Amino acid sequence: MKTVKILGIETSCDETAIAVVENGQKILFNLVYSQIDLHKEYFGVVPEIASRAHLEKINFLLKEGFDQSNLSYQDMDAVAVSNRPGLVGSLMTGVGTAKVISSVFQKPLIGINHVLAHLYSNFLVSQNIPFPFIGLVVSGGHTLLLKVEAWDKVTIKGTTIDDAVGEAFDKVAKMLNLTYPGGPIIDNLAQQGNEDAISFPKITMYNKKRNNYNFSYSGLKTSVLYFLKKQKKMKIEDICASFQKSAIDVLYEKAIRLAKSEKINRIVIAGGVAANSYLRRLFLENLENQVFLPPKELCTDNAAMVAGLGYHFFKEKKFDKLDLNVYSKNDIPIGQGVI
Ligand code: KG4
Ligand code: ZN
């Protein structure tokens, strides 16, 4: 059978990424240019800086990928690109580039939902994860609980009502005078800390009255801020470990509760925060072979996940036209699909 090679392009936030994946699994190249150094001093992503950096880098990355792999645009069967959700100016660079490649080389164009692509990063390494599954996407921009019955039958069950979980890690790191992004640093420091040292209120916990799967991290963030104002002598490692436990436990509890109520026992996790050691331990120790986590290098934004999910739509012949647009949000109300 002929192999199918898909070029993936990802520019939804602050990583410019390109990849070629064969048959939805074999990564032929996977290049990521991270803009972290450009955004560090602002402790968060500055949209205009991000858009400009994508514009500067993307052609060089494409040249590098094709040169080092000895592949050519003609070898591609389609071009898949993240077109939603994300920073509009950033997405435009990727989508504009994909359209040019698609029209010059006469290759089908496939617009990809970045959140679903994160979940696909698990399928790059695990054969045949069966549908349906509960999807938990945890990143700098998203905290989403999803019921995934097929790639085009996805229902949002819970979302963040304020800060995303990764954003909470980044903001707490800033309060602690650490650098950006905060997640990996807090994770590292927490490994030498006592997670029970401080009991931050579980404000993000399941709200019995409203019985929902939404998340809120602003209360936890504020309680860390007040704690720091009062307590000057506490070990930073203990603060990190205690904050991390509060932030992650709620993800675990809500994911399990949704899995039980939907009678679906598989949980597929993805996004930058899926690299967190405490999260990985918590899910893996309790759920063993019912939980799927990507390798750490595929948790954060990359284009292999975009090309991989593109292969699925290629097989279904679900292509987009050259008027493909970009969208900042998943504008789907809770309880409804498809995202
Ligand atoms: O998926 P991603 O690269 O970008 C978005 O789509 O947002 O996720 C980036 C986020 C950042 O907020 C970063 O602090 C967080 O993922 N992150 C982590 C860890 N590694 C990255 N959070 C907690 N623990 C980690 N080890
Ligand atoms: Zn992402």
Side-chain angles (χ1 to χ4, degrees):
M1 204 183 81
K2 183 188 175 305
T3 56
V4 174
K5 294 184 184 64
I6 310 274
L7 169 64
I9 299 182
E10 158 59 42
T11 61
S12 67
C13 190
D14 60 341
E15 265 93 25
T16 317
I18 54 152
V20 172
V21 173
E22 196 173 270
N23 291 351
Q25 281 220 310
K26 189 174 174 199
I27 299 176
L28 302 185
F29 69 77
N30 186 24
L31 299 181
V32 181
Y33 164 72
S34 166
Q35 304 176 1
I36 283 173
D37 285 345
L38 304 179
H39 301 287
K40 238 179 190 154
E41 62 178 294
Y42 307 99
F43 281 90
V45 179
V46 182
E48 187 175 330
I49 294 177
S51 313
R52 289 175 186 281
H54 288 306
L55 200 55
E56 274 177 19
K57 285 286 175 231
I58 193 153
N59 290 338
F60 295 106
L61 264 191
L62 283 163
K63 182 166 173 9
E64 191 183 328
F66 281 109
D67 283 355
Q68 60 170 240
S69 62
N70 272 328
L71 290 165
S72 74
Y73 288 104
Q74 295 295 1
D75 299 326
M76 300 300 108
D77 292 282
V79 47
V81 59
S82 294
N83 75 320
R84 65 197 192 281
L87 299 170
V88 163
S90 292
L91 288 166
M92 278 182 179
T93 301
V95 171
T97 306
K99 284 182 181 183
V100 172
I101 297 169
S102 161
S103 47
V104 171
F105 297 97
Q106 296 289 298
K107 305 290 175 187
L109 176 69
I110 305 169
I112 293 286
N113 182 312
H114 174 85
V115 165
L116 298 188
H118 267 301
L119 287 176
Y120 192 92
S121 56
N122 285 283
F123 289 70
L124 288 168
V125 289
S126 302
Q127 308 274 349
N128 302 327
I129 301 172
F131 290 91
F133 58 79
I134 299 298
L136 173 64
V137 180
V138 282
S139 71
H142 307 281
T143 318
L144 281 170
L145 259 179
L146 307 166
K147 179 180 172 186
V148 185
E149 293 166 87
W151 288 119
D152 51 6
K153 194 164 182 217
V154 180
T155 310
I156 300 180
K157 294 289 183 177
T159 185
T160 175
I161 58 168
D162 40 52
D163 295 334
V165 55
E167 202 177 351
F169 271 86
D170 296 338
K171 288 180 176 167
V172 166
K174 184 178 180 193
M175 292 175 202
L176 293 169
N177 292 320
L178 302 169
T179 61
Y180 175 82
I185 303 162
I186 290 184
D187 187 351
N188 266 334
L189 288 168
Q191 288 175 31
Q192 277 89 54
N194 171 7
E195 65 196 29
D196 299 316
I198 311 153
S199 113
F200 287 120
K202 297 215 166 184
I203 325 162
T204 50
M205 209 40 94
Y206 161 41
N207 178 337
K208 282 201 172 83
K209 270 191 205 138
R210 284 176 43 222
N211 188 8
N212 67 39
Y213 297 102
N214 286 343
F215 301 93
S216 162
Y217 280 97
S218 69
L220 174 60
K221 195 184 63 187
T222 311
S223 79
V224 176
L225 184 68
Y226 285 140
F227 178 86
L228 292 174
K229 279 191 179 154
K230 279 194 259 147
Q231 288 272 353
K232 303 275 180 222
K233 291 202 180 115
M234 199 82 190
K235 267 176 67 189
I236 191 165
E237 290 83 353
D238 290 346
I239 301 171
C240 289
S242 305
F243 157 74
Q244 179 174 273
K245 179 175 165 51
S246 270
I248 302 292
D249 281 355
V250 65
L251 299 172
Y252 177 76
E253 288 170 35
K254 290 201 179 195
I256 296 288
R257 189 158 57 80
L258 178 61
K260 283 195 180 134
S261 101
E262 295 289 339
K263 300 189 175 51
I264 295 173
N265 57 9
R266 274 174 301 283
I267 300 182
V268 177
I269 311 178
V273 182
N276 184 269
S277 338
Y278 176 78
L279 177 147
R280 297 175 84 89
R281 210 170 47 240
L282 183 64
F283 277 91
L284 288 169
E285 278 176 5
N286 289 293
L287 302 175
E288 291 175 43
N289 47 9
Q290 315 272 32
V291 68
F292 296 87
L293 280 153
K296 287 191 180 184
E297 64 279 9
L298 292 176
C299 285
T300 43
D301 288 348
N302 65 84
M305 64 188 194
V306 175
L309 184 54
Y311 174 67
H312 165 79
F313 292 114
F314 179 86
K315 281 190 302 184
E316 308 243 301
K317 295 197 169 44
K318 287 196 174 143
F319 302 136
D320 287 289
K321 301 212 174 74
L322 285 174
D323 61 357
L324 178 71
N325 217 324
V326 299
Y327 303 93
S328 62
K329 293 202 176 99
N330 281 315
D331 277 329
I332 304 291
I334 303 289
Q336 293 180 27
V338 174
I339 69 171

Coordinates of all heavy atoms in Angstrom, one line a residue, residues 10 12-15 114 118 138-142 165-170 180-188 244 248 270-277 296 299-302 305, ligand 1:
E10 N 2.2 24.3 12.4 CA 1.6 24.7 13.7 C 2.2 26.1 14.1 O 3.4 26.2 14.3 CB 2.0 23.6 14.8 CG 1.9 24.1 16.2 CD 0.6 24.6 16.6 OE1 -0.4 24.0 16.3 OE2 0.5 25.6 17.3
S12 N 0.0 28.2 16.3 CA -1.2 28.8 17.0 C -0.8 29.7 18.2 O -1.6 30.5 18.6 CB -2.1 27.7 17.5 OG -1.4 27.0 18.5
C13 N 0.4 29.5 18.7 CA 0.7 30.3 19.9 C 2.2 30.8 19.8 O 2.5 31.7 18.9 CB 0.5 29.5 21.2 SG 0.6 30.5 22.7
D14 N 3.1 30.3 20.6 CA 4.5 30.8 20.5 C 5.5 29.8 20.1 O 6.7 29.9 20.4 CB 4.8 31.4 21.9 CG 4.8 30.4 23.0 OD1 4.1 29.4 22.9 OD2 5.4 30.7 24.1
E15 N 5.0 28.7 19.4 CA 6.0 27.8 18.8 C 5.7 27.8 17.3 O 4.6 27.6 16.9 CB 5.8 26.4 19.3 CG 6.7 26.0 20.5 CD 6.1 26.3 21.8 OE1 4.8 26.3 21.9 OE2 6.8 26.5 22.8
H114 N -6.4 22.6 16.9 CA -5.2 22.5 17.6 C -5.4 21.6 18.9 O -4.5 20.8 19.3 CB -4.7 23.9 18.0 CG -3.5 23.9 18.9 ND1 -2.2 23.8 18.4 CD2 -3.4 24.0 20.2 CE1 -1.4 23.9 19.5 NE2 -2.1 24.0 20.6
H118 N -3.5 18.1 19.9 CA -2.8 17.7 21.1 C -3.2 16.3 21.5 O -2.3 15.5 21.9 CB -3.2 18.7 22.3 CG -2.3 19.8 22.4 ND1 -0.9 19.7 22.6 CD2 -2.5 21.2 22.3 CE1 -0.4 20.9 22.7 NE2 -1.3 21.8 22.5
V138 N -4.7 20.0 28.7 CA -4.2 20.9 29.8 C -3.0 21.7 29.2 O -2.0 21.1 29.1 CB -3.9 20.2 31.1 CG1 -5.2 19.9 31.8 CG2 -3.2 18.9 30.9
S139 N -3.2 22.9 29.0 CA -2.1 23.7 28.4 C -2.1 25.1 28.9 O -2.8 25.4 29.8 CB -2.1 23.6 26.9 OG -3.2 24.4 26.4
G140 N -1.3 26.0 28.2 CA -1.2 27.4 28.6 C -2.5 28.1 28.3 O -2.9 29.1 28.9
G141 N -3.2 27.6 27.3 CA -4.5 28.3 26.8 C -5.7 27.5 27.1 O -6.8 28.0 27.0
H142 N -5.6 26.2 27.5 CA -6.8 25.4 27.6 C -6.8 24.5 28.9 O -5.8 24.0 29.3 CB -6.9 24.5 26.4 CG -6.9 25.2 25.1 ND1 -8.0 25.9 24.6 CD2 -5.9 25.4 24.3 CE1 -7.6 26.5 23.5 NE2 -6.3 26.2 23.3
V165 N -5.0 26.1 33.3 CA -4.1 25.5 34.3 C -2.6 25.9 34.1 O -1.9 26.3 35.0 CB -4.3 24.0 34.5 CG1 -4.1 23.2 33.2 CG2 -3.4 23.5 35.6
G166 N -2.2 25.9 32.8 CA -0.8 26.2 32.5 C -0.5 27.7 32.8 O 0.6 28.1 33.3
E167 N -1.5 28.5 32.5 CA -1.4 29.9 32.8 C -1.3 30.2 34.3 O -0.5 31.0 34.8 CB -2.8 30.6 32.3 CG -2.7 32.0 32.0 CD -4.1 32.5 31.5 OE1 -5.0 31.6 31.2 OE2 -4.3 33.7 31.4
A168 N -2.0 29.4 35.1 CA -1.9 29.5 36.6 C -0.5 29.1 37.0 O 0.1 29.8 37.9 CB -2.9 28.6 37.3
F169 N 0.1 28.1 36.4 CA 1.5 27.8 36.7 C 2.4 29.0 36.4 O 3.3 29.3 37.1 CB 2.0 26.5 36.0 CG 1.7 25.2 36.6 CD1 0.5 24.6 36.5 CD2 2.7 24.6 37.4 CE1 0.3 23.4 37.1 CE2 2.5 23.4 38.1 CZ 1.2 22.8 37.9
D170 N 2.2 29.5 35.2 CA 3.0 30.7 34.8 C 2.9 31.9 35.7 O 3.9 32.5 36.0 CB 2.7 31.0 33.3 CG 3.0 29.9 32.3 OD1 3.8 29.0 32.7 OD2 2.4 29.9 31.2
Y180 N 9.8 32.4 33.0 CA 8.7 31.9 32.1 C 9.3 30.9 31.1 O 10.4 31.1 30.6 CB 8.2 33.1 31.3 CG 7.1 32.7 30.3 CD1 5.8 32.5 30.7 CD2 7.5 32.5 29.0 CE1 4.8 32.2 29.8 CE2 6.5 32.2 28.1 CZ 5.2 32.0 28.5 OH 4.3 31.6 27.6
P181 N 8.5 29.8 30.8 CA 7.3 29.4 31.4 C 7.4 28.8 32.7 O 8.4 28.1 33.0 CB 6.7 28.4 30.3 CG 7.9 27.9 29.7 CD 9.0 28.9 29.7
G182 N 6.4 29.0 33.6 CA 6.6 28.6 35.0 C 6.4 27.1 35.2 O 7.0 26.6 36.2
G183 N 5.6 26.4 34.4 CA 5.3 25.0 34.6 C 6.5 24.1 34.9 O 6.6 23.5 36.0
P184 N 7.5 24.1 34.0 CA 8.6 23.2 34.2 C 9.4 23.5 35.4 O 9.9 22.6 36.1 CB 9.4 23.3 32.9 CG 8.5 24.0 31.9 CD 7.5 24.7 32.6
I185 N 9.5 24.8 35.7 CA 10.3 25.2 36.9 C 9.6 24.8 38.2 O 10.2 24.3 39.1 CB 10.6 26.7 36.9 CG1 11.2 27.1 35.6 CG2 11.4 27.2 38.1 CD1 11.1 28.6 35.3
I186 N 8.3 25.1 38.3 CA 7.6 24.7 39.5 C 7.6 23.2 39.6 O 7.8 22.7 40.7 CB 6.1 25.2 39.4 CG1 6.1 26.8 39.5 CG2 5.2 24.6 40.4 CD1 4.8 27.4 39.5
D187 N 7.5 22.5 38.5 CA 7.5 21.0 38.5 C 8.9 20.6 39.2 O 8.9 19.7 40.1 CB 7.4 20.5 37.1 CG 7.3 19.0 36.9 OD1 7.5 18.3 37.9 OD2 7.0 18.6 35.8
N188 N 10.0 21.2 38.7 CA 11.3 20.8 39.2 C 11.5 21.1 40.7 O 11.9 20.2 41.4 CB 12.4 21.6 38.4 CG 12.9 20.8 37.3 OD1 12.8 19.5 37.3 ND2 13.4 21.5 36.3
Q244 N 1.1 23.0 43.2 CA 1.0 22.0 42.1 C 0.0 20.9 42.5 O -0.9 20.5 41.6 CB 2.4 21.3 41.9 CG 2.4 20.3 40.9 CD 3.8 19.8 40.6 OE1 4.5 20.4 39.8 NE2 4.2 18.8 41.3
I248 N -3.4 20.3 40.3 CA -3.5 19.0 39.5 C -4.6 18.1 40.0 O -5.3 17.4 39.3 CB -2.2 18.3 39.4 CG1 -1.1 19.2 38.8 CG2 -2.3 17.0 38.7 CD1 -1.2 19.5 37.4
A270 N -3.4 15.4 27.2 CA -2.4 16.0 26.3 C -2.3 17.5 26.7 O -3.0 18.0 27.5 CB -2.9 15.9 24.9
G271 N -1.3 18.2 26.0 CA -1.0 19.6 26.3 C 0.2 19.8 27.2 O 0.6 18.8 27.8
G272 N 0.7 21.0 27.2 CA 2.0 21.2 27.9 C 2.0 20.7 29.3 O 3.0 20.2 29.8
V273 N 0.9 20.9 30.1 CA 0.8 20.5 31.5 C 0.8 19.0 31.7 O 1.1 18.5 32.7 CB -0.4 21.2 32.2 CG1 -0.4 20.9 33.7 CG2 -0.3 22.7 32.0
A274 N 0.6 18.3 30.6 CA 0.6 16.8 30.6 C 2.1 16.3 30.8 O 2.3 15.2 31.2 CB 0.1 16.2 29.3
A275 N 3.1 17.3 30.7 CA 4.5 16.9 31.0 C 4.7 16.9 32.5 O 5.8 16.5 32.9 CB 5.4 17.9 30.3
N276 N 3.8 17.4 33.3 CA 4.0 17.6 34.7 C 4.2 16.2 35.4 O 3.4 15.3 35.3 CB 2.8 18.4 35.3 CG 3.0 18.6 36.8 OD1 2.6 17.9 37.6 ND2 3.7 19.8 37.1
S277 N 5.3 16.1 36.2 CA 5.6 14.8 36.8 C 4.5 14.4 37.8 O 4.2 13.2 37.9 CB 6.9 14.9 37.6 OG 7.8 15.8 37.1
K296 N 7.0 13.3 27.0 CA 7.1 14.7 27.3 C 7.4 15.6 26.2 O 6.8 16.7 26.1 CB 8.2 14.9 28.4 CG 7.7 14.3 29.8 CD 8.7 14.8 30.9 CE 8.1 14.2 32.2 NZ 8.9 14.6 33.3
C299 N 4.3 16.7 24.4 CA 3.2 17.4 25.2 C 3.0 18.8 24.7 O 1.9 19.3 24.5 CB 3.5 17.3 26.7 SG 3.3 15.7 27.4
T300 N 4.1 19.5 24.6 CA 4.0 20.9 24.2 C 3.8 21.1 22.7 O 3.8 20.1 22.0 CB 5.3 21.7 24.6 OG1 6.4 20.9 24.3 CG2 5.3 22.0 26.1
D301 N 3.5 22.3 22.2 CA 3.1 22.5 20.8 C 4.1 21.9 19.9 O 5.3 22.2 20.0 CB 2.9 24.0 20.6 CG 1.6 24.5 21.3 OD1 0.8 23.7 21.7 OD2 1.4 25.7 21.3
N302 N 3.6 21.2 18.9 CA 4.5 20.6 17.8 C 3.6 20.4 16.6 O 2.4 20.5 16.7 CB 5.1 19.3 18.3 CG 4.1 18.2 18.6 OD1 3.7 17.5 17.7 ND2 3.6 18.1 19.8
M305 N 1.8 16.3 15.7 CA 0.4 16.0 16.1 C -0.6 16.6 15.1 O -1.6 16.0 14.9 CB 0.2 16.6 17.5 CG 0.2 18.1 17.6 SD 0.1 18.6 19.4 CE -0.3 20.4 19.1
Ligands
KG4_1 O1 0.6 23.1 25.0 P1 1.5 24.2 25.2 O2 2.9 24.1 24.7 O3 0.9 25.6 24.7 C1 -0.4 25.9 24.6 O4 -1.1 25.4 23.7 O5 -0.8 26.6 25.5 O6 1.6 24.5 26.8 C2 2.4 25.4 27.5 C3 2.0 25.4 28.9 C4 2.7 26.6 29.7 O7 1.8 27.2 30.5 C5 3.7 25.8 30.6 O8 4.0 26.5 31.8 C6 3.0 24.5 30.8 O9 2.4 24.2 29.6 N1 4.0 23.4 31.2 C7 4.0 22.8 32.3 C8 5.0 21.8 32.3 N2 5.7 21.9 31.1 C9 5.0 22.9 30.4 N3 3.1 22.9 33.4 C10 3.4 22.1 34.5 N4 4.4 21.2 34.5 C11 5.2 21.0 33.5 N5 6.2 20.2 33.6

